[in-house]
Amino acid sequence: MKMETLSSSVDALRLADRHRPPLLMEALAEVRASGLCNMFNYACVILALDDMGHAAEADWLKQHINSYVNILNEFSRWLQANPRPFRESLAQRVARETGLELIEE
C-alpha cells in the first residue's frame, strides 16, 4: 500500500515538472538573495515571488504546495550546480540581456 502511494506521488511530481515555469529556480534564487524570507516559509516565498513580478511561478507554487519540500531539495541541488552569485535580479538580467532600460530605485 505504501509503495503505491509513493509511486503515485512520484508520478504526480513528474507530471507537475512538465508544466513547471522554466524560470522557477532562478525566481526562487532571487527570493533567497533578497533575504526577505526564510525559504521554508512557503507563504512568504509565494508572496515575495508575486511582489517581484514572478506571478506564474507564484501561481504554480501555490498549486504544488504539497511538493514544496521536494522543490526545495531540488532548488538546493540547483544552487550547488549553479554557484554563481546573484548580484543582479532576474529582472535586471533580462533588461541587460534584451537591451531594455531598467529604472533604478
Side-chain angles (χ1 to χ4, degrees):
M1 194 75 115
K2 289 183 181 181
M3 287 301 284
E4 290 174 6
T5 303
L6 180 60
S7 177
S8 65
S9 295
V10 169
D11 290 341
L13 191 57
R14 284 184 186 142
L15 180 61
D17 281 347
R18 283 190 247 155
H19 303 301
R20 175 183 290 180
L23 296 177
L24 178 65
M25 295 300 152
E26 288 85 351
L28 288 173
E30 186 175 344
V31 171
R32 181 177 179 264
S34 76
L36 295 172
C37 300
N38 177 332
M39 294 303 287
F40 289 104
N41 183 343
Y42 62 85
C44 181
V45 170
I46 289 170
L47 287 173
L49 284 169
D50 210 23
D51 288 347
M52 293 176 166
H54 302 293
E57 289 79 1
D59 290 343
W60 186 89
L61 209 51
K62 281 182 212 172
Q63 294 171 3
H64 297 89
I65 204 65
N66 292 334
S67 302
Y68 189 68
V69 171
N70 293 332
I71 293 164
L72 282 183
N73 284 332
E74 183 179 339
F75 177 59
S76 178
R77 289 190 301 273
W78 182 86
L79 283 174
Q80 289 173 354
N82 299 279
R84 65 185 171 91
F86 293 96
R87 293 190 184 116
E88 63 183 4
S89 72
L90 184 58
Q92 289 169 325
R93 189 178 89 214
V94 169
R96 179 179 46 78
E97 290 176 358
T98 60
L100 296 173
E101 183 179 344
L102 182 68
I103 299 170
E104 300 278 335
E105 290 186 35

